[in-house]
Amino acid sequence: MLVYSNGGFADDGAARMFMKAAALACPDVVAQYSGPLVGSIEDRSVMVTMLREVPLTIEKGTVMAAMMKRGPRGYVSLPRPLDDLGEGSRVVSCVPVAVLELRERFPMLEVDPVDSAERCLSILENGEAEAVVLPEMEVLLSGIGMSYRVPDEMLTPAASQGVVAVFCNADDDDTLAWARSVNHPVTRIEVGTERGIMKLMGAGPFTPVGVKGTLNDMFVHVQATSYACPNGPRKVDDYVAIDYVMDDLLDIADYLAGKR
């Protein structure tokens, strides 16, 4: 089996994490890491990526075979804590909802959106910002050194933040079974609510909306923050049944989008 990454900031680390887990689950399957994917996924191969930036509609013929157990879904700041920054310091982030929440919580800072984690780090290295704020799991998988956790209550994670996903061809049964050996059902349920709400909103990975689903007994606790409503920011703190259908998420989605 061939394992490819999607070429993103943390995807190399994500692919290697998948290979370790798959080797434990299926020790008889030999896998080889082949670097970033060029072109389309072929049979007997998978593409591994952080799910946060993956479009909500997947290309026809491709299937999300597995979501690995979710890692930390919060944020970290580099190279120093946010509280150590002086007035007028520049902070950049590649997560739109984090940018807007940081502006509210730290009005004395200059907080700017950037299109990728790689660009954030380039800006930092060039001395064009005093700090960057990035998803914690992505920083861990990238192998970057010292970072400082942002308190969880300060920022809302983007939908599916902290999750590694595995994709393969929908009709490649052997590869599908192999990839599914690392699937984590709890993560899949939680992320299903998060991405389901985003899809019903008509939102995408770069819409300024954060959604956090947490399985709690027979319910999924949904906490969300939306800056996509024309009438101003909206927050949700609600529960949906574990056996939810998309209609159960519609009220939440409509409220966050400002449709009601």
Side-chain angles (χ1 to χ4, degrees):
M1 296 288 186
L2 298 180
V3 178
Y4 294 92
S5 74
N6 198 30
F9 164 66
D11 288 343
D12 181 87
R16 295 182 187 282
M17 183 176 115
F18 163 73
M19 290 182 66
K20 288 180 181 179
L24 290 173
C26 301
D28 295 335
V29 176
V30 178
Q32 175 184 332
Y33 181 50
S34 300
L37 179 68
V38 177
S40 58
I41 303 173
E42 299 179 350
D43 284 350
R44 297 191 63 77
S45 67
V46 297
M47 188 272 287
V48 184
T49 185
M50 301 306 301
L51 187 54
R52 177 179 63 84
E53 294 185 352
V54 174
L56 298 170
T57 301
I58 298 170
E59 182 180 347
K60 186 176 181 181
T62 301
V63 64
M64 191 188 308
M67 295 183 200
M68 299 187 68
K69 184 177 181 179
R70 182 179 234 150
R73 61 172 119 188
Y75 297 87
V76 293
S77 64
L78 300 137
R80 56 185 58 85
L82 294 174
D83 288 338
D84 287 357
L85 299 175
E87 184 173 352
S89 295
R90 186 183 185 213
V91 179
V92 294
S93 178
C94 59
V95 185
V97 68
V99 169
L100 296 176
E101 287 185 310
L102 284 167
R103 286 176 179 172
E104 285 190 357
R105 290 184 175 272
F106 296 94
M108 76 294 293
L109 301 178
E110 178 186 340
V111 184
D112 294 323
V114 175
D115 60 4
S116 68
E118 293 92 335
R119 179 63 182 144
C120 284
L121 294 172
S122 175
I123 288 172
L124 184 66
E125 289 170 4
N126 292 335
E128 299 169 18
E130 282 67 48
V132 299
V133 172
L134 299 173
E136 181 177 5
M137 183 61 171
E138 295 172 35
V139 169
L140 290 172
L141 288 174
S142 72
I144 292 177
M146 179 68 72
S147 62
Y148 298 86
R149 292 196 76 248
V150 177
D152 289 342
E153 64 274 11
M154 185 177 291
L155 300 176
T156 310
S160 65
Q161 191 160 304
V163 176
V164 172
V166 186
F167 294 84
C168 68
N169 287 335
D171 58 359
D172 185 359
D173 293 339
D174 289 343
T175 305
L176 188 59
W178 175 60
R180 282 180 173 166
S181 68
V182 304
N183 189 59
H184 190 249
V186 170
T187 297
R188 196 121 197 179
I189 291 168
E190 293 177 347
V191 172
T193 63
E194 297 167 6
R195 288 174 67 86
I197 288 168
M198 295 289 286
K199 191 168 186 176
L200 290 169
M201 288 180 67
F206 299 102
T207 304
V209 176
V211 188
K212 178 182 179 181
T214 306
L215 188 61
N216 186 351
D217 196 15
M218 298 304 292
F219 296 89
V220 180
H221 184 196
V222 177
Q223 297 165 288
T225 301
S226 171
Y227 291 87
C229 176
N231 300 323
R234 289 192 168 183
K235 291 184 177 291
V236 162
D237 192 324
D238 204 350
Y239 290 84
V240 295
I242 191 174
D243 57 350
Y244 65 86
V245 295
M246 292 299 273
D247 280 352
D248 297 328
L249 307 178
L250 187 57
D251 280 349
I252 295 174
D254 283 351
Y255 178 73
L256 291 172
K259 296 178 182 178
R260 66 171 181 86

